[in-house]
Amino acid sequence: MTLYLRLFWEFFKTGLFAVGGGMATLPFLYDISDRTGWFTHTQLADMIAVGESTPGPIGVNMATYVGYLTGGVGGAVVATVGLVAPSVIVILSVAAFLKAFRNSRYVAGAFYGLRPASTAMITAAGLTVMRVAFLRGGVWGGLAWKAVALAAALLVCTRVLKTTKKWHPIVWIGVSALVGIAFDFGA
Amino acid sequence: MLRELVELFLTFARVGVMTFGGGYAMLPMLQREVVERRRWADEEELADYFAIGQCTPGVIAVNTATFIGSKRCGVAGAIAATAGMVFPSLLIITLLAGVIRTYSHLAWVGRAFAGIRVCVCVLIFNAVCKLWSKAVVDRPTLAIYALVLLGMLTLRGSPVVFVLLAGAAGIAVQALRGKGGGAK
């Protein structure tokens, strides 16, 4: 029971403070991982892949996945309800004062500051995933060169080449999985 | 009333099943289901809801669903639409998580995920680049970005603190500008 309450509370906080969509929940999930030990950083990186390649919003998918790992089916439901509860409350209040909200200088000012902060926190989360993906056995264990080569190829495909740029991320996740199996990644 | 609630649930469940990744990927689906098929809102309203959903806390897709649900049937509608939106995720992820846990000890599954992690880095990098152009627009926002990044990497504090500080800093910067004659 206490586990469910803690799950709900952690995801309620995430839903309340993560501004800017799915990836914005990442820094909060890393924080939860550090404080509770419910899941590891490596598991979290895998969750992002599962969240991206299954239907539905990424943020919701990640909450469900974390909830399931920690507390089974009940945990999945509790974490998801915790994540969306603040949205429902906030949006219902905003809907009541829609005009005032849109024209408020304070709201505009707050989001002017929140957007770069959210971008910075996602960057920090990305660096944590990079440590798991590119370094072998800690910071001084050396670079995993096969991983670096794959990343370079993916960057070219998703940012440079016109034809492949628009393809859905699920394609690249599938390709990366196959490359990982074929070239013995993580060994 | 009950029929409309069921319709809200089913419509958003369909949007949830058919979009991968959420966020922007969801907009065309919402346009088709909510604007063209159901006529619950027009294009402009939907764009407004989506914009507000982006700059309020929480998952954008859920925020948009709550908005449309509340417009149709008040609080009950908001809850029905949100429940519809998250229902497919709950079902699919719960099934999938069980499968992944069962097979994760196999060597080839481990290698596949090692490859996928590289891809996740690239996806996050791309997301940051997309956000960057809208978020880091001048010197104060660049300073906020740098300070929060530094803080996250060195202090390991709760993200909540950074969110509150950054919001306050944004209001302060804009207020100072207002006094200085509105120079932007």
Side-chain angles (χ1 to χ4, degrees):
Chain A
M1 193 60 220
T2 22
L3 176 70
Y4 286 163
L5 273 178
R6 282 188 68 196
L7 262 177
F8 182 86
W9 173 237
E10 290 296 340
F11 279 94
F12 189 88
K13 276 196 296 187
T14 304
L16 187 59
F17 288 103
V19 181
M23 286 295 186
T25 58
L26 264 189
F28 294 87
L29 296 179
Y30 276 105
D31 184 45
I32 294 173
S33 159
D34 286 340
R35 281 184 296 110
T36 64
W38 285 338
F39 46 88
T40 64
H41 284 187
T42 312
Q43 274 178 311
L44 196 50
D46 299 344
M47 268 175 228
I48 302 166
V50 173
E52 282 267 18
S53 43
T54 43
I58 308 172
V60 173
N61 290 351
M62 290 204 286
T64 310
Y65 197 90
V66 173
Y68 182 85
L69 286 184
T70 358
V73 177
V77 175
V78 168
T80 307
V81 172
L83 182 77
V84 302
S87 287
V88 175
I89 297 166
V90 169
I91 294 290
L92 283 176
S93 4
V94 168
F97 309 98
L98 189 55
K99 270 231 172 72
F101 181 83
R102 218 180 314 173
N103 299 329
S104 161
R105 274 180 39 215
Y106 293 108
V107 172
F111 284 107
Y112 168 83
L114 281 177
R115 266 177 251 128
S118 173
T119 312
M121 292 196 294
I122 300 173
T123 309
L127 290 174
T128 315
V129 184
M130 278 180 74
R131 196 156 53 195
V132 180
F134 294 111
L135 296 178
R136 283 189 297 208
V139 183
W140 308 111
L143 274 175
W145 288 108
K146 287 182 281 190
V148 176
L150 174 61
L154 287 171
L155 276 175
V156 170
C157 289
T158 54
R159 303 191 61 82
V160 183
L161 297 178
K162 273 226 169 70
T163 34
T164 54
K165 225 161 115 174
K166 293 234 161 85
W167 289 6
H168 197 278
I170 195 171
V171 175
W172 307 118
I173 290 174
V175 168
S176 305
L178 292 178
V179 171
I181 296 169
F183 292 93
D184 236 7
F185 269 46
Chain B
M1 177 75 175
L2 187 65
R3 228 192 90 216
E4 189 142 18
L5 289 178
V6 172
E7 254 178 25
L8 275 168
F9 180 89
L10 290 177
T11 301
F12 281 100
R14 184 162 34 218
V15 174
V17 168
M18 291 209 273
T19 33
F20 285 80
Y24 292 99
M26 196 150 276
L27 196 53
M29 275 305 303
L30 283 171
Q31 277 164 343
R32 200 161 74 204
E33 288 293 323
V34 173
V35 179
E36 285 160 30
R37 270 189 52 156
R38 302 285 184 187
R39 301 188 188 284
W40 283 338
D42 58 35
E43 288 281 348
E44 268 178 31
E45 275 177 292
L46 185 64
D48 275 359
Y49 294 160
F50 205 74
I52 294 170
Q54 261 177 305
C55 64
T56 41
V59 183
I60 301 172
V62 171
N63 293 352
T64 312
T66 308
F67 242 123
I68 294 165
S70 78
K71 192 194 162 206
R72 300 296 305 169
C73 299
V75 177
I79 292 170
T82 304
M85 194 69 156
V86 302
F87 181 71
S89 293
L90 266 179
L91 203 67
I92 295 167
I93 297 283
T94 306
L95 291 174
L96 211 67
V99 173
I100 290 173
R101 196 148 64 171
T102 315
Y103 294 103
S104 62
H105 63 277
L106 295 177
W108 68 269
V109 177
R111 281 186 225 123
F113 272 105
I116 288 171
R117 263 170 240 141
V118 174
C119 185
V120 167
C121 290
V122 173
L123 294 178
I124 295 178
F125 177 75
N126 290 345
V128 167
C129 289
K130 214 180 276 174
L131 287 169
W132 177 279
S133 58
K134 279 190 188 158
V136 183
V137 288
D138 48 18
R139 268 188 220 155
T141 44
L142 182 63
I144 292 174
Y145 176 87
L147 286 174
V148 172
L149 181 59
L150 197 71
M152 284 296 288
L153 292 177
T154 54
L155 301 177
R156 305 211 128 248
S158 164
V160 175
V161 178
F162 292 107
V163 167
L164 294 176
L165 285 176
I171 293 173
V173 169
Q174 294 290 49
L176 284 174
R177 270 191 183 153
K179 266 190 198 156
K184 206 203 162 172

mmCIF file of all heavy atoms in Angstrom, chain A residues 123-157:
data_model
loop_
_atom_site.group_PDB
_atom_site.id
_atom_site.type_symbol
_atom_site.label_atom_id
_atom_site.label_comp_id
_atom_site.label_asym_id
_atom_site.label_seq_id
_atom_site.Cartn_x
_atom_site.Cartn_y
_atom_site.Cartn_z
ATOM 1 N N THR A 123 18.810 17.816 -21.725
ATOM 2 C CA THR A 123 20.211 17.636 -22.121
ATOM 3 C C THR A 123 20.959 16.819 -21.071
ATOM 4 O O THR A 123 21.687 15.868 -21.403
ATOM 5 C CB THR A 123 20.912 19.005 -22.277
ATOM 6 O OG1 THR A 123 20.121 19.839 -23.111
ATOM 7 C CG2 THR A 123 22.294 18.835 -22.883
ATOM 8 N N ALA A 124 20.757 17.176 -19.797
ATOM 9 C CA ALA A 124 21.441 16.461 -18.719
ATOM 10 C C ALA A 124 21.043 14.978 -18.719
ATOM 11 O O ALA A 124 21.895 14.093 -18.567
ATOM 12 C CB ALA A 124 21.109 17.102 -17.370
ATOM 13 N N ALA A 125 19.742 14.720 -18.923
ATOM 14 C CA ALA A 125 19.277 13.329 -18.975
ATOM 15 C C ALA A 125 19.922 12.604 -20.151
ATOM 16 O O ALA A 125 20.320 11.439 -20.043
ATOM 17 C CB ALA A 125 17.761 13.283 -19.087
ATOM 18 N N GLY A 126 20.046 13.298 -21.296
ATOM 19 C CA GLY A 126 20.677 12.710 -22.476
ATOM 20 C C GLY A 126 22.121 12.337 -22.199
ATOM 21 O O GLY A 126 22.599 11.280 -22.619
ATOM 22 N N LEU A 127 22.838 13.189 -21.461
ATOM 23 C CA LEU A 127 24.237 12.895 -21.134
ATOM 24 C C LEU A 127 24.334 11.634 -20.282
ATOM 25 O O LEU A 127 25.269 10.846 -20.429
ATOM 26 C CB LEU A 127 24.870 14.088 -20.405
ATOM 27 C CG LEU A 127 25.099 15.322 -21.277
ATOM 28 C CD1 LEU A 127 25.589 16.497 -20.445
ATOM 29 C CD2 LEU A 127 26.106 15.016 -22.392
ATOM 30 N N THR A 128 23.346 11.435 -19.403
ATOM 31 C CA THR A 128 23.357 10.226 -18.576
ATOM 32 C C THR A 128 23.166 8.975 -19.436
ATOM 33 O O THR A 128 23.823 7.958 -19.217
ATOM 34 C CB THR A 128 22.237 10.301 -17.514
ATOM 35 O OG1 THR A 128 22.254 11.606 -16.942
ATOM 36 C CG2 THR A 128 22.434 9.276 -16.436
ATOM 37 N N VAL A 129 22.265 9.055 -20.418
ATOM 38 C CA VAL A 129 22.080 7.913 -21.326
ATOM 39 C C VAL A 129 23.358 7.680 -22.123
ATOM 40 O O VAL A 129 23.769 6.542 -22.347
ATOM 41 C CB VAL A 129 20.903 8.140 -22.297
ATOM 42 C CG1 VAL A 129 20.674 6.910 -23.165
ATOM 43 C CG2 VAL A 129 19.635 8.470 -21.539
ATOM 44 N N MET A 130 24.021 8.772 -22.531
ATOM 45 C CA MET A 130 25.260 8.637 -23.314
ATOM 46 C C MET A 130 26.320 7.873 -22.542
ATOM 47 O O MET A 130 27.046 7.063 -23.105
ATOM 48 C CB MET A 130 25.810 10.021 -23.686
ATOM 49 C CG MET A 130 25.145 10.618 -24.901
ATOM 50 S SD MET A 130 25.837 12.228 -25.293
ATOM 51 C CE MET A 130 27.417 11.743 -25.989
ATOM 52 N N ARG A 131 26.390 8.131 -21.227
ATOM 53 C CA ARG A 131 27.397 7.443 -20.423
ATOM 54 C C ARG A 131 27.166 5.931 -20.473
ATOM 55 O O ARG A 131 28.096 5.147 -20.582
ATOM 56 C CB ARG A 131 27.331 7.951 -18.982
ATOM 57 C CG ARG A 131 28.547 7.588 -18.189
ATOM 58 C CD ARG A 131 28.740 8.547 -17.035
ATOM 59 N NE ARG A 131 27.529 8.633 -16.233
ATOM 60 C CZ ARG A 131 27.299 9.587 -15.332
ATOM 61 N NH1 ARG A 131 28.175 10.520 -15.137
ATOM 62 N NH2 ARG A 131 26.188 9.595 -14.640
ATOM 63 N N VAL A 132 25.883 5.518 -20.413
ATOM 64 C CA VAL A 132 25.571 4.090 -20.470
ATOM 65 C C VAL A 132 25.863 3.526 -21.856
ATOM 66 O O VAL A 132 26.359 2.413 -22.002
ATOM 67 C CB VAL A 132 24.077 3.850 -20.120
ATOM 68 C CG1 VAL A 132 23.748 2.369 -20.182
ATOM 69 C CG2 VAL A 132 23.753 4.413 -18.754
ATOM 70 N N ALA A 133 25.577 4.318 -22.904
ATOM 71 C CA ALA A 133 25.643 3.787 -24.257
ATOM 72 C C ALA A 133 27.051 3.789 -24.845
ATOM 73 O O ALA A 133 27.400 2.900 -25.612
ATOM 74 C CB ALA A 133 24.705 4.593 -25.171
ATOM 75 N N PHE A 134 27.876 4.782 -24.482
ATOM 76 C CA PHE A 134 29.150 4.952 -25.197
ATOM 77 C C PHE A 134 30.393 4.604 -24.390
ATOM 78 O O PHE A 134 31.473 4.492 -24.943
ATOM 79 C CB PHE A 134 29.287 6.399 -25.691
ATOM 80 C CG PHE A 134 28.289 6.760 -26.735
ATOM 81 C CD1 PHE A 134 27.271 7.660 -26.459
ATOM 82 C CD2 PHE A 134 28.349 6.184 -27.992
ATOM 83 C CE1 PHE A 134 26.344 7.991 -27.419
ATOM 84 C CE2 PHE A 134 27.419 6.510 -28.965
ATOM 85 C CZ PHE A 134 26.410 7.416 -28.674
ATOM 86 N N LEU A 135 30.254 4.496 -23.063
ATOM 87 C CA LEU A 135 31.449 4.235 -22.278
ATOM 88 C C LEU A 135 31.439 2.803 -21.762
ATOM 89 O O LEU A 135 30.414 2.314 -21.310
ATOM 90 C CB LEU A 135 31.543 5.210 -21.095
ATOM 91 C CG LEU A 135 31.698 6.671 -21.463
ATOM 92 C CD1 LEU A 135 31.741 7.520 -20.211
ATOM 93 C CD2 LEU A 135 32.952 6.903 -22.295
ATOM 94 N N ARG A 136 32.582 2.157 -21.824
ATOM 95 C CA ARG A 136 32.684 0.785 -21.324
ATOM 96 C C ARG A 136 33.276 0.803 -19.931
ATOM 97 O O ARG A 136 34.368 1.345 -19.731
ATOM 98 C CB ARG A 136 33.561 -0.053 -22.248
ATOM 99 C CG ARG A 136 32.825 -0.446 -23.510
ATOM 100 C CD ARG A 136 33.631 -1.442 -24.270
ATOM 101 N NE ARG A 136 34.901 -0.860 -24.696
ATOM 102 C CZ ARG A 136 35.549 -1.268 -25.771
ATOM 103 N NH1 ARG A 136 35.072 -2.246 -26.479
ATOM 104 N NH2 ARG A 136 36.686 -0.728 -26.119
ATOM 105 N N GLY A 137 32.558 0.245 -18.974
ATOM 106 C CA GLY A 137 33.094 0.118 -17.613
ATOM 107 C C GLY A 137 33.536 1.429 -17.014
ATOM 108 O O GLY A 137 34.689 1.582 -16.638
ATOM 109 N N GLY A 138 32.613 2.405 -16.956
ATOM 110 C CA GLY A 138 32.912 3.658 -16.286
ATOM 111 C C GLY A 138 33.646 4.635 -17.177
ATOM 112 O O GLY A 138 33.969 4.326 -18.330
ATOM 113 N N VAL A 139 33.943 5.796 -16.623
ATOM 114 C CA VAL A 139 34.469 6.901 -17.423
ATOM 115 C C VAL A 139 35.826 6.568 -18.018
ATOM 116 O O VAL A 139 36.160 6.968 -19.127
ATOM 117 C CB VAL A 139 34.566 8.172 -16.556
ATOM 118 C CG1 VAL A 139 35.049 9.357 -17.384
ATOM 119 C CG2 VAL A 139 33.217 8.490 -15.936
ATOM 120 N N TRP A 140 36.657 5.814 -17.300
ATOM 121 C CA TRP A 140 38.025 5.569 -17.784
ATOM 122 C C TRP A 140 38.161 4.228 -18.506
ATOM 123 O O TRP A 140 39.254 3.797 -18.830
ATOM 124 C CB TRP A 140 39.027 5.639 -16.628
ATOM 125 C CG TRP A 140 38.865 6.913 -15.871
ATOM 126 C CD1 TRP A 140 38.388 7.078 -14.617
ATOM 127 C CD2 TRP A 140 39.127 8.235 -16.351
ATOM 128 N NE1 TRP A 140 38.334 8.397 -14.277
ATOM 129 C CE2 TRP A 140 38.792 9.135 -15.322
ATOM 130 C CE3 TRP A 140 39.622 8.744 -17.573
ATOM 131 C CZ2 TRP A 140 38.928 10.517 -15.458
ATOM 132 C CZ3 TRP A 140 39.757 10.115 -17.690
ATOM 133 C CH2 TRP A 140 39.416 10.983 -16.664
ATOM 134 N N GLY A 141 37.042 3.544 -18.768
ATOM 135 C CA GLY A 141 37.105 2.247 -19.429
ATOM 136 C C GLY A 141 37.247 2.342 -20.939
ATOM 137 O O GLY A 141 37.387 1.334 -21.608
ATOM 138 N N GLY A 142 37.181 3.555 -21.478
ATOM 139 C CA GLY A 142 37.341 3.722 -22.921
ATOM 140 C C GLY A 142 36.021 3.799 -23.646
ATOM 141 O O GLY A 142 34.978 3.408 -23.121
ATOM 142 N N LEU A 143 36.070 4.313 -24.877
ATOM 143 C CA LEU A 143 34.876 4.472 -25.687
ATOM 144 C C LEU A 143 34.498 3.155 -26.367
ATOM 145 O O LEU A 143 35.366 2.372 -26.724
ATOM 146 C CB LEU A 143 35.132 5.497 -26.787
ATOM 147 C CG LEU A 143 34.924 6.970 -26.450
ATOM 148 C CD1 LEU A 143 35.350 7.808 -27.641
ATOM 149 C CD2 LEU A 143 33.486 7.257 -26.092
ATOM 150 N N ALA A 144 33.170 2.927 -26.495
ATOM 151 C CA ALA A 144 32.717 1.795 -27.295
ATOM 152 C C ALA A 144 32.613 2.282 -28.747
ATOM 153 O O ALA A 144 31.662 2.965 -29.111
ATOM 154 C CB ALA A 144 31.364 1.311 -26.783
ATOM 155 N N TRP A 145 33.642 1.968 -29.541
ATOM 156 C CA TRP A 145 33.740 2.562 -30.880
ATOM 157 C C TRP A 145 32.612 2.157 -31.804
ATOM 158 O O TRP A 145 32.166 2.944 -32.630
ATOM 159 C CB TRP A 145 35.098 2.228 -31.515
ATOM 160 C CG TRP A 145 36.185 2.996 -30.847
ATOM 161 C CD1 TRP A 145 37.138 2.508 -30.012
ATOM 162 C CD2 TRP A 145 36.382 4.422 -30.905
ATOM 163 N NE1 TRP A 145 37.922 3.528 -29.544
ATOM 164 C CE2 TRP A 145 37.491 4.711 -30.073
ATOM 165 C CE3 TRP A 145 35.745 5.452 -31.571
ATOM 166 C CZ2 TRP A 145 37.961 5.996 -29.899
ATOM 167 C CZ3 TRP A 145 36.215 6.740 -31.396
ATOM 168 C CH2 TRP A 145 37.311 7.004 -30.574
ATOM 169 N N LYS A 146 32.126 0.905 -31.652
ATOM 170 C CA LYS A 146 31.018 0.479 -32.501
ATOM 171 C C LYS A 146 29.790 1.348 -32.254
ATOM 172 O O LYS A 146 29.081 1.728 -33.180
ATOM 173 C CB LYS A 146 30.690 -1.000 -32.231
ATOM 174 C CG LYS A 146 31.733 -1.942 -32.798
ATOM 175 C CD LYS A 146 31.359 -3.380 -32.550
ATOM 176 C CE LYS A 146 31.679 -3.789 -31.134
ATOM 177 N NZ LYS A 146 31.549 -5.237 -30.896
ATOM 178 N N ALA A 147 29.563 1.700 -30.979
ATOM 179 C CA ALA A 147 28.420 2.543 -30.624
ATOM 180 C C ALA A 147 28.571 3.938 -31.219
ATOM 181 O O ALA A 147 27.608 4.520 -31.722
ATOM 182 C CB ALA A 147 28.282 2.627 -29.102
ATOM 183 N N VAL A 148 29.807 4.477 -31.170
ATOM 184 C CA VAL A 148 30.050 5.801 -31.736
ATOM 185 C C VAL A 148 29.774 5.799 -33.242
ATOM 186 O O VAL A 148 29.144 6.716 -33.779
ATOM 187 C CB VAL A 148 31.501 6.252 -31.451
ATOM 188 C CG1 VAL A 148 31.787 7.589 -32.130
ATOM 189 C CG2 VAL A 148 31.737 6.368 -29.951
ATOM 190 N N ALA A 149 30.208 4.740 -33.924
ATOM 191 C CA ALA A 149 29.988 4.649 -35.367
ATOM 192 C C ALA A 149 28.491 4.595 -35.682
ATOM 193 O O ALA A 149 27.999 5.279 -36.592
ATOM 194 C CB ALA A 149 30.692 3.405 -35.922
ATOM 195 N N LEU A 150 27.746 3.792 -34.906
ATOM 196 C CA LEU A 150 26.303 3.699 -35.120
ATOM 197 C C LEU A 150 25.640 5.054 -34.907
ATOM 198 O O LEU A 150 24.789 5.486 -35.696
ATOM 199 C CB LEU A 150 25.689 2.647 -34.188
ATOM 200 C CG LEU A 150 24.161 2.536 -34.196
ATOM 201 C CD1 LEU A 150 23.640 2.161 -35.574
ATOM 202 C CD2 LEU A 150 23.681 1.517 -33.168
ATOM 203 N N ALA A 151 26.043 5.766 -33.843
ATOM 204 C CA ALA A 151 25.465 7.081 -33.548
ATOM 205 C C ALA A 151 25.719 8.046 -34.700
ATOM 206 O O ALA A 151 24.829 8.805 -35.104
ATOM 207 C CB ALA A 151 26.041 7.632 -32.246
ATOM 208 N N ALA A 152 26.942 8.016 -35.248
ATOM 209 C CA ALA A 152 27.276 8.909 -36.361
ATOM 210 C C ALA A 152 26.378 8.614 -37.560
ATOM 211 O O ALA A 152 25.820 9.530 -38.187
ATOM 212 C CB ALA A 152 28.739 8.747 -36.737
ATOM 213 N N ALA A 153 26.189 7.328 -37.853
ATOM 214 C CA ALA A 153 25.328 6.947 -38.982
ATOM 215 C C ALA A 153 23.893 7.404 -38.741
ATOM 216 O O ALA A 153 23.235 7.937 -39.640
ATOM 217 C CB ALA A 153 25.385 5.437 -39.183
ATOM 218 N N LEU A 154 23.400 7.219 -37.510
ATOM 219 C CA LEU A 154 22.025 7.618 -37.189
ATOM 220 C C LEU A 154 21.846 9.127 -37.290
ATOM 221 O O LEU A 154 20.821 9.617 -37.772
ATOM 222 C CB LEU A 154 21.651 7.153 -35.782
ATOM 223 C CG LEU A 154 21.402 5.655 -35.610
ATOM 224 C CD1 LEU A 154 21.255 5.319 -34.128
ATOM 225 C CD2 LEU A 154 20.163 5.221 -36.367
ATOM 226 N N LEU A 155 22.866 9.877 -36.847
ATOM 227 C CA LEU A 155 22.788 11.336 -36.933
ATOM 228 C C LEU A 155 22.656 11.776 -38.390
ATOM 229 O O LEU A 155 21.860 12.653 -38.709
ATOM 230 C CB LEU A 155 24.032 11.975 -36.307
ATOM 231 C CG LEU A 155 23.986 12.159 -34.788
ATOM 232 C CD1 LEU A 155 25.318 12.677 -34.284
ATOM 233 C CD2 LEU A 155 22.869 13.119 -34.398
ATOM 234 N N VAL A 156 23.446 11.155 -39.262
ATOM 235 C CA VAL A 156 23.373 11.507 -40.680
ATOM 236 C C VAL A 156 21.977 11.186 -41.227
ATOM 237 O O VAL A 156 21.365 11.992 -41.918
ATOM 238 C CB VAL A 156 24.462 10.755 -41.487
ATOM 239 C CG1 VAL A 156 24.236 10.934 -42.982
ATOM 240 C CG2 VAL A 156 25.845 11.257 -41.091
ATOM 241 N N CYS A 157 21.444 10.003 -40.859
ATOM 242 C CA CYS A 157 20.131 9.590 -41.377
ATOM 243 C C CYS A 157 18.997 10.467 -40.854
ATOM 244 O O CYS A 157 18.031 10.733 -41.559
ATOM 245 C CB CYS A 157 19.844 8.142 -41.002
ATOM 246 S SG CYS A 157 20.861 6.978 -41.900
#
